Amino acid sequence: MSTSTSTSTVRTLLVRGMIAGVVAGLLAFALAYVVGEPSIDSSIALEESQSAPAHEHGDAAPAPADEPAEEEEELVTRPVQSTFGLATGVLVYSVALGGIAALAFALCLGRVGRLRPRATAALVAGAAFTTVYLVPFLKYPATPPAVGNPDTIGKRTTLFFLMIVLSVLIAIVAVIAGRRLAPKLGNWNATVAAGGGYVVVMAVACLLLPANTDAVKETFPAALLWEFRLASLAVQALLWTAFGLIFGALAERVLRPPDTRVTGQDPEAVTGASPARTG
């Protein structure tokens, strides 16, 4: 495939990835609103109920007599946060990651065995879910707002993103190692060895990195905490599953040979080979 054609194909795949990200993001938003927002509302209500007694017993410093008490106004109300704000955040996130995943798909296509575009898309989506969310989640699971020490939010955020960076980098190293081991060990053994190496290195990283001991207050209900965490996990799983299925279908239409686009025949049945590669 020529360089110009390859560049054009990658550009088309990038657009398809962003479109798939939009659709997957809408599905993830719907699930987040249904199963995630109730636990967030409960968490906020619990925090407010625990902070109310302190004000009722006069623990807060009273305002001077000559200065009227000022009420803090919310810049963004809770109903806006749970609808428009949530939708905006999820869609921006899904479109950005959809574009990145599409570029990763273009890089992997034809280089990870004789896989069809749909299978390659599913593989990329599964790997992205595992490395970007699942593995960091095992070390630093999601917590609802207003349950942890606000003074350590910056530290906790830094640790979480450090875990993501480590997971992605080690995954890339594992893929490179697997490709180099394949001629000696065979594809299956090389894949198992590379995957095992990733698991071992990430397990060591989980042991060495500090824990978020103040991420959740001891008095916070465990049932409500795990309800939020399972909802967060379900939203991410739906997002990446939907992206893999939708983008796989779109990518296969883009990469299908011209003669099969008209007849609708299986490209491998016509050509007897794997679909066209992007590089």
Side-chain angles (χ1 to χ4, degrees), residues 22 45 91 94 98 123 151 155 177 194 204 238:
V22 170
L91 288 176
S94 59
L123 179 64
D151 296 332
K155 174 187 174 182
V204 172
L238 174 62

Side-chain angles (χ1 to χ4, degrees), residues 198-211:
Y198 170 82
V199 171
V200 170
V201 173
M202 292 311 303
V204 172
C206 287
L207 292 175
L208 295 179
L209 288 174

Side-chain angles (χ1 to χ4, degrees), residues 13-41:
L13 290 173
L14 175 61
V15 174
R16 297 297 190 276
M18 297 174 71
I19 293 174
V22 170
V23 179
L26 290 174
L27 295 175
F29 161 71
L31 183 62
Y33 183 79
V34 173
V35 304
E37 287 302 311
S39 59
I40 294 178
D41 289 336

Side-chain angles (χ1 to χ4, degrees), residues 170-183 185 189-191 193-195 197:
I170 298 303
I172 294 174
V173 172
V175 171
I176 295 174
R179 285 178 55 83
R180 292 186 176 181
L181 290 173
L185 304 179
N189 291 332
T191 301

Side-chain angles (χ1 to χ4, degrees), residues 71-170:
E71 296 183 0
E72 295 184 1
E73 296 183 359
E74 291 183 321
L75 296 178
V76 181
T77 63
R78 177 63 190 145
V80 174
Q81 292 176 1
S82 62
T83 53
F84 180 77
L86 176 63
T88 301
V90 171
L91 288 176
V92 170
Y93 172 85
S94 59
V95 170
L97 289 187
I100 296 173
L103 295 178
F105 168 89
L107 181 64
C108 293
L109 187 64
R111 296 182 174 90
V112 289
R114 295 172 60 86
L115 297 179
R116 296 276 298 277
R118 288 177 186 265
T120 304
L123 179 64
V124 169
F129 169 72
T130 301
T131 58
V132 176
Y133 186 80
L134 182 59
V135 171
F137 176 88
L138 295 177
K139 175 62 178 179
Y140 301 118
T143 56
V147 302
N149 184 354
D151 296 332
T152 62
I153 291 178
K155 174 187 174 182
R156 287 184 273 133
T157 302
T158 301
L159 288 174
F160 180 72
F161 280 103
L162 175 61
M163 192 66 180
I164 294 177
V165 171
L166 283 176
S167 178
V168 173
L169 289 179
I170 298 303

